Amino acid sequence: MTLSRPILVLDDEPFMLDVLQHMLEQEGCTDVVCMSDGTSALAWLDAQAQPAQMVVLDINMPGMDGVEFVRHLAERKFTGSLLLVSGEDELLLQATEKLARAYELETATPLRKPPTPDALRAALAQLQAPKTPGRRQAKRKQYSPDEVLTAIQSGQLVNWYQPKVAVKTGEVVGAEALVRWQHPTDGLVFPDQFIPIAEAGGFINELTRVVARAAVAQAREWLAAGLKLRVAINVSMDDLATLALADRMIAKTEEGGVPPQFMQIEITESRLMKSVTSVLDQLIRLRLKRFRLSIDDFGSGHSSLVQLRDLPFDELKIDRSFTHNASHDARLRAIFAASLNLGRTLGMEVVAEGVEDRDDWDFLIETGVNIAQGYFIARPMPAAAMQGWLHEWEARLWQDGLLPTETH
Ligand code: C2E
Ligand code: CA
Ligand code: CA
């Protein structure tokens, strides 16, 4: 790896500085500057004509610690990349990583002490990888309310679907509709770039209608093809308070000949709920008709115990931030177990979102959670890709031994 600008390594232990410098040199990084305290490091950074290529930062330091140093980097609008190095303090590491990301600093997976050449190489590769025009990294274009409204009204929104599978059997039990905007010139635009605009602009109802209509049509198509998939749509409490969703959904499903138990509504609380009565009224009616109601992002702050107390849900979705990595993190496991237990005690089916890798999947098998959803199983896809994916999934279940082994 050749770098044109210097790398700054900041660590209070001289031995660790030597190790890191040596390892960086082995990777071809020859211009390495070592410092042992934050204040001198900042002074050095400020004195450079060009920003450093990278800062390798030990987060546990006496005096100015890593968290504070990251804040100083952000204040200086540091454009180089950041590689965190830590000992055992998991909490501090997570907090620093979150902070760095919140400041939009470019970071790689942190290095654990003692650092290994392989881990360092992987981190450097990660930082050097050409940025895919990935959704999150892409320069985000700001759309105006008018543009979003036009997109909704002119049929530019499409539903993609992400499968939900039963953990015990691998059976595909449903699919969540996730809306995308097929922009005429910008390509596929993700919901975080237009849902908040539709909400703030007061026309989220229009979007929900379009999504719901397409979802019912899709459920019907799948049923006709013999695929018994429960199709879920996303609705916020706000939305529910003002949209006559219940009437519409009931009418739409009747019209389309889709039994309501094949439709599911995932509900989040986007802001403080103004009218509980109107929401409650609609939810009870939907439940009576056998629509499935799901509390989304449970535990994330948008979904709370108050909602569980007041509203008739039959599914609880544990927020993805508690699933991914739970097998490696005792705090996440504790929160996951408590949410699962709560859902079960209240007689709900429990879904784990955010299953990103094999470790997450194996963890779920142990917990006995009912349903799983996440990138490990499948990324959201256009409806037309579902049949093909189903075949792949069948094959993977056996080839990769994804099902729980029977204990005799
Ligand atoms: P959500 O309801 O929590 O949906 C799940 C989001 O997590 C989706 O992002 C999905 O692509 C992503 N995801 C799925 N598996 C994984 C995983 O393993 N790891 C990670 N990191 N992420 C995963 P997407 O499609 O960008 O949607 C974001 C949010 O936008 C949704 O969060 C939902 O709140 C909202 N949204 C999407 N479609 C609609 C809609 O039709 N109406 C409304 N009101 N909101 C929608
Ligand atoms: Ca959802
Ligand atoms: Ca969710």
Side-chain angles (χ1 to χ4, degrees):
M1 167 170 179
T2 41
L3 295 170
S4 46
R5 290 177 280 139
I7 293 180
L8 172 69
V9 184
L10 177 55
D11 197 308
D12 60 304
E13 292 172 65
F15 171 70
M16 200 43 73
L17 284 177
D18 286 346
V19 170
L20 286 166
Q21 178 168 23
H22 176 72
M23 282 173 41
L24 283 162
E25 282 169 0
Q26 293 295 305
E27 298 304 315
C29 311
T30 44
D31 193 358
V32 177
V33 176
C34 293
M35 302 255 162
S36 56
D37 76 284
T39 316
S40 343
L42 287 176
W44 180 85
L45 283 173
D46 289 342
Q48 302 303 302
Q50 275 203 318
Q53 177 81 32
M54 174 165 76
V55 171
V56 180
L57 174 66
D58 172 30
I59 59 172
N60 312 68
M61 290 184 296
M64 188 189 297
D65 61 30
V67 181
E68 197 181 340
F69 193 82
V70 165
R71 181 161 49 75
H72 285 295
L73 285 180
E75 278 167 11
R76 285 164 170 72
K77 306 218 172 351
F78 179 65
T79 52
S81 42
L82 176 66
L83 180 54
L84 299 174
V85 185
S86 92
E88 276 123 65
D89 198 340
E90 193 63 27
L91 259 187
L92 186 59
L93 175 65
Q94 284 176 6
T96 318
E97 233 188 312
K98 279 216 183 87
L99 190 69
R101 257 190 252 120
Y103 285 135
E104 298 187 343
L105 291 168
E106 200 196 336
T107 57
T109 311
L111 283 186
R112 309 283 164 159
K113 285 185 181 176
T116 64
D118 282 349
L120 177 67
R121 199 168 306 130
L124 292 178
Q126 221 179 331
L127 290 170
Q128 276 222 320
K131 299 289 161 280
T132 39
R135 36 182 306 190
R136 306 290 175 200
Q137 290 97 339
K139 193 90 202 119
R140 292 162 62 84
K141 186 166 158 187
Q142 289 286 335
Y143 295 101
S144 72
D146 274 353
E147 285 173 294
V148 175
L149 187 58
T150 310
I152 298 172
Q153 292 171 341
S154 62
Q156 291 175 14
L157 298 190
V158 283
N159 287 355
W160 281 32
Y161 293 89
Q162 186 178 37
K164 292 176 168 178
V165 306
V167 174
K168 252 197 202 135
T169 59
E171 186 195 354
V172 182
V173 293
E176 175 178 3
L178 292 158
V179 68
R180 271 90 180 96
W181 174 5
Q182 189 64 64
H183 193 282
T185 50
D186 298 347
L188 205 61
V189 181
F190 288 86
D192 52 347
Q193 270 185 277
F194 56 93
I195 298 267
I197 299 174
E199 277 174 348
F203 48 87
I204 185 71
N205 287 349
E206 292 211 36
L207 179 144
T208 305
R209 262 180 235 140
V210 169
V211 170
R213 197 188 308 133
V216 172
Q218 192 55 59
R220 183 180 49 212
E221 208 182 302
W222 278 331
L223 279 174
L227 281 182
K228 294 195 168 160
L229 295 183
R230 216 184 270 151
V231 177
I233 59 166
N234 286 283
V235 176
S236 72
M237 287 281 184
D238 260 6
D239 205 5
L240 209 53
T242 50
L243 175 76
L245 185 79
D247 290 332
R248 270 170 206 286
M249 289 300 288
I250 294 166
K252 280 257 143 26
T253 48
E254 276 171 5
E255 232 173 79
V258 176
Q261 60 267 34
F262 287 103
M263 296 306 301
Q264 186 161 30
I265 299 169
E266 297 189 4
I267 298 160
T268 46
E269 181 179 27
S270 56
R271 276 171 264 155
L272 269 188
M273 231 198 308
K274 281 170 231 112
S275 154
V276 184
T277 4
S278 137
V279 170
L280 198 53
D281 166 291
Q282 295 201 55
L283 291 182
I284 292 173
R285 284 173 53 221
L286 287 166
R287 259 301 284 272
L288 285 172
K289 290 280 179 185
R290 302 267 180 279
F291 283 86
R292 309 225 354 143
L293 303 181
S294 170
I295 180 165
D296 205 352
D297 302 338
F298 187 74
S300 73
H302 293 308
S303 284
S304 65
L305 296 174
V306 174
Q307 292 184 17
L308 273 191
R309 182 195 64 194
D310 294 342
L311 303 171
F313 292 109
D314 33 20
E315 180 183 278
L316 180 149
K317 293 188 85 174
I318 301 179
D319 191 67
R320 63 173 175 268
S321 60
F322 305 122
T323 305
H324 178 47
N325 279 335
S327 60
H328 306 292
D329 185 325
R331 294 170 67 85
L332 295 186
R333 267 200 309 280
I335 299 171
F336 189 98
S339 310
L340 173 59
N341 196 21
L342 185 61
R344 271 204 194 128
T345 312
L346 295 176
M348 293 188 279
E349 276 204 299
V350 182
V351 181
E353 303 185 313
V355 185
E356 289 195 8
D357 55 33
R358 180 71 196 243
D359 286 354
D360 295 344
W361 174 263
D362 290 342
F363 164 72
L364 292 188
I365 288 180
E366 276 168 38
T367 66
V369 72
N370 306 94
I371 297 171
Q373 183 181 359
Y375 294 165
F376 176 73
I377 300 155
R379 294 201 170 236
M381 61 187 101
M386 189 63 88
Q387 284 280 11
W389 172 81
L390 281 166
H391 291 301
E392 277 171 36
W393 175 244
E394 280 280 306
R396 264 180 81 198
L397 281 177
W398 301 112
Q399 278 161 15
D400 300 345
L402 294 183
L403 294 178
T405 38
E406 296 286 336
T407 41
H408 296 284

